[in-house]
Amino acid sequence: MLFGDIVNGKMVLNNIGKIMESVWESLPQHYQAELGPFQIMPNHIHIIIMIVGAGFSRPIPLGNIIA
């Protein structure tokens, strides 16, 4: 599994999972975005991201943030 394993019904992140969590939490420092709930699963993630940018001449496309 890419991001960790389920142990006793709970997700335990491995090093890659911890990096993913850290990068996710740092996104608002780099982009005009607000983070919603997220869940890192063993082989994928579920995220809610709100792009804010009203008043900005060129909002950042979601694909650029995800990349």
Side-chain angles (χ1 to χ4, degrees), residues 21-64:
E21 182 176 50
S22 174
V23 168
W24 169 252
E25 292 173 348
S26 73
L27 282 179
Q29 297 170 23
H30 305 284
Y31 298 101
Q32 295 292 321
E34 294 178 13
L35 306 181
F38 75 101
Q39 179 64 52
I40 301 174
M41 305 297 287
N43 61 355
H44 66 283
I45 62 171
H46 294 268
I47 62 172
I48 295 177
I49 185 168
M50 288 128 325
I51 300 172
V52 294
F56 291 94
S57 60
R58 295 192 56 174
I60 303 292
L62 178 60
N64 289 16

